[in-house]
Amino acid sequence: MSSELESLYQEIILEHSRYPRNYGRLPQPTHHAEGYNPLCGDQVHLTLQVDGEAIRDIRFEGQSCAICKASASVMTSLVKGLPLSEVEQLYEAFHALLTAEEPPTFSHIAPKYQDYLLAFGAVRNYPMRVKCATLPWHTLHAALHESHHEPVSTENL
Amino acid sequence: MNPTPLLEKARQLRADFPILSQAHPSGRPLIYFDNAATAQKPRVVIERLSAFLATQNANIHRGVHWLSQEATHLYEKARETVQHFLGAASPEEIIFVRGATEGINLIAQGLRRAYFQPGDEIILSTLEHHANIVPWQLVAEELPLRLKPLPLTSAGAVDVSALPDFLSPRTRLIAITHTSNGLGTRTPIEEIVAFAKAHDIPVLLDACQSIVHEAIDVQKLPVDFLVFSGHKLYGPTGVGVVYMRHPWGRKLPPYQGGGDMIVRVTWEKTRYAPPPAKFEAGTPAIAEAIVLATAIHYITDTVGYDFIQAYEAYLTDLAEALLRDVPGLTLYGTARPRGPIWSFNIEGIHPHDLGTFLDSWGIAVRVGHHCNQPLMDALGVPATARLSLAFYNLPEELQTLQEALLAAVEFFHKPLPSLRHE
């Protein structure tokens, strides 16, 4: 087995894709959004319960590859209960981890979250798979910041 | 069947393709199983392109100088090569386009302006590539038209028995694929053409995936329109062919306006050139069309369709047997006759993860919806992995694929130690 593949599919990723957390739909969400990657057909549907300035509850469902599903599972686990300002910070950090020219330092991210985010670090070496990992986060961003609910497509981000 | 003589020839021909002797970044040999997306290029094609650009390049049809006359001659010779390749009655019936997609758009827009009436119907099939769906939807929205996709048999071939039910007095065209890019199943096109002729309905054949595996003669298979792309036929990208049976080329209006497609331009009235020039506005893909002719000669003279048919049938059977041995693997669309394409999924592994895994073994397959979303909907899956073979693939490459698939099953289903979280 190639070590590159082992670092792409770390155990956290395999485990979350096989046993996704927060899978399903909230019955009465305050926010929701649909994410779609037309290149591969990955699909993520998010429902959120936002209470004042924090995410009280969040669920995801959809059909997607292991990286996308694990990303959604990890993301929902991390942001549940978080103030929106911290959610924004994680979103920025995750995006930078996968797409910035220089991978960012995570000094401003609480250590308890770092391992989960860094597990996706190797995805940046697979350009065709970056969108698999970022789709749930873009969908979350859209759910929180966009009033209209057009599906988020990875092709017009 | 004794495959030994076939195998010997395949190994010889493989040496014509320099890209195949490259190592993959993983250090493993490159195994190219994405031939339905695009085929690799033999040395004669690569060298012909280089030689044309180095010694013969000029614009065509409007120069009196030596190079232009030479390039014009080669371009029109290439048209004749395609004419004879397809058995077309005259070079007038052969139009060079950028690819099959542009070809279908050209035909669809021409028919919209000169042929279809609101309320007309087109019969297609569930197998169609988006390139044989969306151009018709564009026209259908404007007029409107009704698009009626034929269903599939349980084995993934076009269900021809549904044709009489799909026929109506408003049926004005059958536009259908010859071999499915997504499944590999071959459409019983002879029956469909006979049915269409009996009801005086023109037929457009998408031959992209069939012409790379079987010879097509438009006299024996009298379709009205046929399209294919050069790059899938071992030629360059950027060139494709529309075959337009006479007198359709006289009836349909131009697709684009510009240079080279006119007889006389004035501010009051422009007269168009006769076909094929009428449909080739602007400077075409001159070098690519000329090199496509080289690719066609290579396929018909050096490789030969008899060899392609026999050897690819052997590979197709071998691939099926090897794939069926992988636990949890589902094959989609197993009908015969077929091209050397297999679409499959493995239980519990998303095709995208499988594609990345196989790439780490140096194996190139296509994963996704293959521009076949309505077909994926009909199959009830978001995506598949697709193996598509060419005459330069070897049985040992299929063995390696099977080994890699077994390793993928092990990797993605491996027991996980309990993790720290939750």
Side-chain angles (χ1 to χ4, degrees), chain B residues 36-170:
Chain B
T38 197
Q40 297 302 348
K41 317 307 171 197
R43 196 172 281 107
V44 285
V45 162
I46 298 166
E47 287 173 358
R48 185 68 191 91
L49 184 61
S50 173
F52 175 81
L53 294 175
T55 64
Q56 295 167 313
N57 178 57
N59 211 330
I60 53 169
H61 292 157
R62 58 201 109 178
V64 293
H65 59 79
W66 163 60
L67 276 178
S68 174
Q69 291 178 68
E70 181 72 359
T72 302
H73 171 72
L74 291 167
Y75 183 77
E76 292 308 327
K77 286 290 281 185
R79 195 189 306 280
E80 285 170 27
T81 298
V82 176
Q83 176 206 339
H84 296 130
F85 177 57
L86 293 175
S90 92
E92 170 183 327
E93 295 181 320
I94 304 300
I95 301 156
F96 284 122
V97 286
R98 277 189 299 150
T101 297
E102 187 179 57
I104 295 175
N105 278 279
L106 180 154
I107 297 162
Q109 291 300 322
L111 292 174
R112 181 184 81 76
R113 287 154 65 202
Y115 176 70
F116 289 131
Q117 297 295 321
D120 282 349
E121 298 179 354
I122 304 173
I123 296 176
L124 307 100
S125 87
T126 305
L127 291 177
E128 299 317 311
H129 187 283
H130 294 169
N132 197 29
I133 299 174
V134 185
W136 305 112
Q137 287 178 326
L138 290 172
V139 172
E141 276 169 28
E142 281 181 31
L143 274 175
L145 298 177
R146 188 156 166 232
L147 307 183
K148 295 164 81 173
L150 287 166
L152 303 183
T153 66
S154 59
V158 173
D159 185 358
V160 194
S161 70
L163 255 184
D165 288 341
F166 275 59
L167 181 73
S168 91
R170 300 306 303 268

Side-chain angles (χ1 to χ4, degrees), chain B residues 281-318:
Chain B
T283 297
I286 301 165
E288 289 79 2
I290 291 166
V291 178
L292 174 59
T294 307
I296 288 173
H297 285 303
Y298 175 76
I299 292 303
T300 55
D301 306 346
T302 305
V303 184
Y305 274 108
D306 289 345
F307 168 74
I308 291 177
Q309 287 267 296
Y311 181 64
E312 288 184 349
Y314 159 74
L315 285 183
T316 304
D317 292 349
L318 179 63

Side-chain angles (χ1 to χ4, degrees), chain B residues 175-377:
Chain B
I176 201 154
T177 185
H178 197 180
T179 293
S180 160
N181 69 299
L183 299 180
T185 50
R186 186 186 182 281
T187 302
I189 191 66
E190 294 76 8
E191 269 178 75
I192 291 175
V193 169
F195 178 90
K197 291 294 141 199
H199 295 90
D200 204 20
I201 299 164
V203 175
L204 182 157
L205 187 63
D206 172 358
C208 285
Q209 298 294 342
S210 57
I211 204 156
V212 296
H213 307 300
E214 60 178 294
I216 298 175
D217 181 334
V218 294
Q219 304 311 327
K220 292 183 190 136
L221 187 69
V223 295
D224 298 82
F225 307 96
L226 178 149
V227 296
F228 69 89
S229 290
H231 69 96
K232 294 188 201 292
L233 191 64
Y234 307 92
T237 53
V239 68
V241 167
V242 168
Y243 162 76
M244 197 182 281
R245 183 178 293 275
H246 182 78
W248 282 105
R250 303 277 162 168
K251 290 189 211 163
L252 297 193
Y255 176 52
Q256 295 182 325
D260 225 27
M261 50 77 74
I262 49 85
V263 172
R264 177 81 176 103
V265 176
T266 65
W267 290 117
E268 290 72 35
K269 171 81 186 161
T270 288
R271 282 191 300 126
Y272 307 126
K278 181 185 183 178
F279 300 104
E280 293 182 4
T283 297
I286 301 165
E288 289 79 2
I290 291 166
V291 178
L292 174 59
T294 307
I296 288 173
H297 285 303
Y298 175 76
I299 292 303
T300 55
D301 306 346
T302 305
V303 184
Y305 274 108
D306 289 345
F307 168 74
I308 291 177
Q309 287 267 296
Y311 181 64
E312 288 184 349
Y314 159 74
L315 285 183
T316 304
D317 292 349
L318 179 63
E320 180 177 16
L322 289 168
L323 290 172
R324 285 192 188 279
D325 258 0
V326 176
L329 187 144
T330 303
L331 286 178
Y332 300 103
T334 55
R336 308 272 177 149
R338 62 184 304 113
I341 295 174
W342 290 105
S343 226
F344 61 94
N345 273 324
I346 297 180
E347 200 183 346
I349 308 177
H350 191 280
H352 269 78
D353 298 314
L354 187 62
T356 296
F357 186 93
L358 293 177
D359 182 54
S360 77
W361 279 61
I363 301 171
V365 297
R366 177 80 176 266
V367 292
H369 53 61
H370 318 297
C371 298
N372 273 150
Q373 284 177 339
L375 170 61
M376 295 294 124
D377 291 344

Side-chain angles (χ1 to χ4, degrees), chain A:
Chain A
M1 192 54 50
S2 78
S3 58
E4 287 85 12
L5 210 62
E6 297 280 3
S7 66
L8 176 64
Y9 291 103
Q10 297 193 10
E11 274 170 4
I12 292 180
I13 293 182
L14 286 180
E15 207 264 350
H16 272 265
S17 72
R18 218 181 286 173
Y19 310 107
R21 321 294 196 275
N22 308 305
Y23 196 82
R25 240 172 227 252
L26 291 175
Q28 285 180 318
T30 56
H31 296 68
H32 67 97
E34 177 92 30
Y36 182 59
N37 182 347
L39 299 184
C40 64
D42 276 356
Q43 215 177 338
V44 173
H45 184 83
L46 284 181
T47 45
L48 289 84
Q49 198 71 48
V50 178
D51 174 10
E53 285 304 298
I55 295 177
R56 288 293 158 224
D57 206 355
I58 180 167
R59 296 266 192 284
F60 84 98
E61 65 180 12
Q63 282 183 317
S64 54
C65 65
I67 289 168
C68 182
K69 194 175 271 180
S71 175
S73 174
V74 165
M75 178 189 79
T76 53
S77 305
L78 293 183
V79 303
K80 202 196 278 191
L82 276 197
L84 296 182
S85 57
E86 282 186 49
V87 172
E88 195 63 23
Q89 236 179 13
L90 289 180
Y91 167 79
E92 300 287 348
F94 191 76
H95 204 248
L97 174 70
L98 269 68
T99 61
E101 202 112 323
E102 288 289 315
T105 62
F106 271 38
S107 50
H108 60 300
I109 302 291
K112 60 178 175 173
Y113 301 140
Q114 288 187 14
D115 285 355
Y116 289 101
L117 296 181
L118 288 170
F120 292 89
V123 178
R124 63 183 289 124
N125 302 325
Y126 295 80
M128 295 303 286
R129 306 303 301 278
V130 166
K131 287 169 178 175
C132 307
T134 54
L135 180 64
W137 289 89
H138 285 301
T139 309
L140 175 63
H141 200 254
L144 292 172
H145 295 282
E146 286 171 25
S147 47
H148 62 92
H149 289 120
E150 285 288 299
V152 186
S153 167
T154 52
E155 295 318 285
N156 45 33
L157 293 171

